[in-house]
Amino acid sequence: MAKSEVKLLGAWPSPFVLRARIALNIKSVDYEFLEETFQPKSQLLLQSNPVYKKIPVLIHENKPICESLIIVQYVDDVWSSGGPSILPADPYDRAIARFWATYVDDKLFPAMKSIAGAKGEEERKRLIKEVEEGLALLEDAFKKITSKGNNKLFFGGDQIGYLDIAFGSLLGWLRVTEITNGVKLFDQVNTPGLVNWAERFSAHAAVKDVMPHTHKLLEFAKTLMTKLAPILTN
């Protein structure tokens, strides 16, 4: 399939755009990556996602698909024969994967993102604690899910799957959060399973070339916080 038939509108620091890129890589889909600048938002973005006006947007045969996890499922469905399945075949396993992916988006990521804008040390500590508790839950989920398949390597089994993509896309920003706050959210004492999983995930062929480097994310975060400082302090 020609790249012109598949385009991905996004931005390199976005964990949600990363999800779409990993899914496309798993299925060996050639695509054109269109970097969105937001200054102002491009006409293509406004036309392709008029409801939320957000990235990522997958454009397949001139038809836009929006929202990262919807895109991941779409890629899995459309290119079903292009590589390993992303969503579990078993209905229960599929439901569990979706449950934890929703938890990542609704609870874990918002808490992690809020740490940077915390008002005072007490709020910062509370949010860090909330993230630590969330990671402990995911550590337990990882043990339960992988133990069913004789200690599989990923949430998805022998290959990375839906929950791996949903959670793994946040790893770069988790590392940035650790560095900027002087904390260790992943460690061999509290989250040994996730530590080893994160190393395998980041080294996977579908991930390693699109996962943003931590130092680049740090520089981006510093620039972003400089721009947001007047808003956060008013």
Side-chain angles (χ1 to χ4, degrees):
M1 181 174 291
K3 282 188 178 183
S4 59
E5 295 182 24
V6 184
K7 298 177 181 179
L8 180 64
L9 181 59
W12 69 266
S14 168
F16 304 105
V17 172
L18 181 59
R19 290 173 174 175
R21 301 191 78 175
I22 293 170
L24 289 165
N25 286 347
I26 288 173
K27 296 294 185 175
S28 300
V29 179
D30 286 331
Y31 65 96
E32 181 181 358
F33 185 63
L34 306 174
E35 189 82 31
E36 174 65 34
T37 61
F38 301 110
Q39 298 174 345
K41 291 183 179 181
S42 69
Q43 194 60 34
L44 180 60
L45 175 59
L46 298 176
Q47 289 174 349
S48 302
N49 191 356
V51 177
Y52 293 113
K53 304 177 178 63
K54 296 191 307 182
I55 55 172
V57 178
L58 181 71
I59 303 172
H60 179 214
E61 297 178 341
N62 296 316
K63 295 177 290 188
I65 301 95
C66 307
E67 296 295 295
S68 65
L69 292 178
I70 292 174
I71 291 171
V72 170
Q73 181 167 342
Y74 179 86
V75 170
D76 196 33
D77 290 340
V78 171
W79 290 281
S80 58
S81 61
S85 295
I86 294 173
L87 278 147
D90 180 79
Y92 178 77
D93 292 343
R94 185 177 287 226
I96 294 300
R98 283 176 167 154
F99 171 86
W100 283 111
T102 299
Y103 175 81
V104 166
D105 280 2
D106 289 355
K107 296 291 185 180
L108 183 66
F109 185 65
M112 189 179 78
K113 191 168 64 170
S114 297
I115 293 172
K119 296 177 181 178
E121 186 62 15
E122 287 303 312
E123 183 179 1
R124 189 181 76 91
K125 288 181 178 179
R126 178 183 63 79
L127 289 166
I128 290 173
K129 182 69 173 174
E130 190 174 329
V131 172
E132 289 173 340
E133 290 171 350
L135 292 174
L137 289 173
L138 281 161
E139 171 77 11
D140 186 57
F142 180 75
K143 290 176 181 175
K144 289 178 180 177
I145 291 169
T146 56
S147 65
K148 292 200 311 178
N150 297 319
N151 296 315
K152 297 294 186 180
L153 300 176
F154 302 100
F155 286 101
D158 290 323
Q159 292 290 331
I160 60 176
Y162 186 77
L163 180 51
D164 296 284
I165 295 172
F167 182 30
S169 65
L170 305 183
L171 285 174
W173 285 106
L174 268 169
R175 293 173 185 133
V176 168
T177 303
E178 288 181 325
I179 294 168
T180 54
N181 290 276
V183 296
K184 199 67 178 170
L185 299 171
F186 268 18
D187 61 54
Q188 288 288 355
V189 175
N190 297 309
T191 56
L194 293 183
V195 168
N196 296 328
W197 162 81
E199 291 179 1
R200 291 191 294 269
F201 178 84
S202 300
H204 192 280
V207 178
K208 61 182 181 180
D209 292 334
V210 291
M211 174 77 81
H213 293 294
T214 303
H215 73 273
K216 282 189 67 178
L217 287 176
L218 269 170
E219 289 302 315
F220 177 80
K222 289 175 184 176
T223 302
L224 189 63
M225 289 307 297
T226 300
K227 292 179 179 178
L228 291 176
I231 299 172
L232 295 174
T233 53
N234 285 342

